[in-house]
Amino acid sequence: MTVIRPGTPPATLPIRRRAGLVAGATVLALTSTTPAWAAPTTGGCLTGHYLTSTDCHSLPSRTRTRTLAVTGPEPSSPTKGRSLAFDEEFNAPIAFGTRWNGSSTSAYRYGDHDPDDAKLDWLTPSAITVSGGTATFTATPSSHTLENGRQAWNTGLLTTEGTTKNFRTRTGDYAEARVQLPSVGGAWPAVWTWFDGGNEVDGFEYHPDTPHILEFVNHVNLASILYTDPGIVHPGAWITVGVNYGATDDDWYLNGKLIYSDHTGVGTTWSPNITLNLSVTDGTYHPTPSTTTTRITFKADYVRVWR
């Protein structure tokens, strides 16, 4: 990572996009060697991203340079002056049916699986267990076969969609989760939103093959960044990641610190469900689990939404 600290002239740097008056900028230069898997057309996604059936995702083979633009002073805590609207502490068995749905999501073509999106997932509620205030998502090879002939993996997903309470976040909310990043190749954890075929904002996505990178993406009004900090982001690390959803600007926080503002926002009427899950990559864009891997885990301490 190349860090350009406040006061360092950025004019000579290869910055592809600047948004607003930059008071302090951290420029991320992310480079990796060309991977063994092939990169498809970007299909209208941002430079450095690839298009699947439903999403744009980052290309780890690209060199990307972005500014973290912060206008004015560091804002106060995103929870200040707000109350909890949704709070999952994982201190009790998961309330399937009322608060959470672990069986299906409309983001997946077949409800409980979606081979079109480079995933081997087969949603299995029993793949999520709770103990000691922590939820563990465990992915294991499945007896199911996907439509493309690949072996599926039983894994866990929690969404508020399709529940009796049907909690939906909205513009102005701040959503936060504390999670432990997985260590095993093929893992693809994320916190994201979804409603009515879209409305997606990725609180984060992570792949252990790019061990120090978190992906933050606004798919509503397209903006994104690959954030790297080896001291914080690495396999096995516990991190707290949050997003303040604004009409014209979304702010991402990592361990309580503002790290990215997209300056595009989600509009005033945005109101999707929230999702926390562990996907398993099929090897198209990130390596699939090795032939000796029989178990992948991802842990979550809490999911909270303030408004």
Side-chain angles (χ1 to χ4, degrees), residues 86-100:
F86 182 87
D87 183 17
E88 177 58 78
E89 301 294 326
F90 299 115
N91 288 326
I94 294 172
F96 287 118
T98 55
R99 288 170 59 86
W100 293 110

Side-chain angles (χ1 to χ4, degrees), residues 2-192:
T2 301
V3 179
I4 308 303
R5 302 190 184 281
T8 303
T12 60
L13 296 173
I15 300 173
R16 297 179 184 172
R17 176 175 176 265
R18 298 185 66 183
L21 178 62
V22 178
T26 301
V27 180
L28 309 181
L30 309 179
T31 309
S32 63
T33 56
T34 302
W37 56 98
T41 176
T42 56
C45 297
L46 288 178
T47 301
H49 283 67
Y50 62 82
L51 178 69
T52 65
S53 61
T54 59
D55 283 323
C56 294
H57 300 283
S58 71
L59 277 171
S61 60
R62 290 291 182 92
T63 299
R64 304 184 60 223
T65 307
R66 289 293 176 93
T67 45
L68 293 180
V70 180
T71 57
E74 182 81 8
S76 60
S77 167
T79 64
K80 185 177 181 180
R82 305 187 191 192
S83 301
L84 281 171
F86 182 87
D87 183 17
E88 177 58 78
E89 301 294 326
F90 299 115
N91 288 326
I94 294 172
F96 287 118
T98 55
R99 288 170 59 86
W100 293 110
N101 173 9
S103 301
S104 64
T105 169
S106 62
Y108 283 14
R109 179 179 178 183
Y110 299 101
D112 57 3
H113 63 287
D114 186 12
D116 298 336
D117 197 24
K119 298 176 179 179
L120 298 176
D121 304 9
W122 199 286
L123 300 188
T124 309
S126 62
I128 310 167
T129 58
V130 172
S131 178
T134 301
T136 300
F137 296 67
T138 302
T140 55
S142 175
S143 60
H144 296 289
T145 301
L146 301 172
E147 284 72 12
N148 57 14
R150 300 287 298 277
Q151 181 185 19
W153 280 62
N154 294 331
T155 191
L157 177 148
L158 293 175
T159 176
T160 58
E161 175 190 14
T163 64
T164 54
K165 291 191 175 181
N166 190 35
F167 175 80
R168 288 163 58 184
T169 190
R170 66 192 189 197
T171 304
D173 285 354
Y174 172 71
E176 182 179 276
R178 182 171 183 263
V179 301
Q180 184 180 37
L181 301 176
S183 303
V184 179
W188 181 2
V191 174
W192 46 291

Side-chain angles (χ1 to χ4, degrees), residues 159-224:
T159 176
T160 58
E161 175 190 14
T163 64
T164 54
K165 291 191 175 181
N166 190 35
F167 175 80
R168 288 163 58 184
T169 190
R170 66 192 189 197
T171 304
D173 285 354
Y174 172 71
E176 182 179 276
R178 182 171 183 263
V179 301
Q180 184 180 37
L181 301 176
S183 303
V184 179
W188 181 2
V191 174
W192 46 291
T193 61
W194 188 264
F195 180 73
D196 195 27
N199 292 279
E200 181 178 0
V201 174
D202 297 329
F204 85 96
E205 293 187 30
Y206 179 75
H207 301 276
D209 60 288
T210 52
H212 305 304
I213 295 174
L214 293 176
E215 304 175 19
F216 305 130
V217 186
N218 175 359
H219 296 271
V220 180
N221 293 306
L222 198 56
S224 70

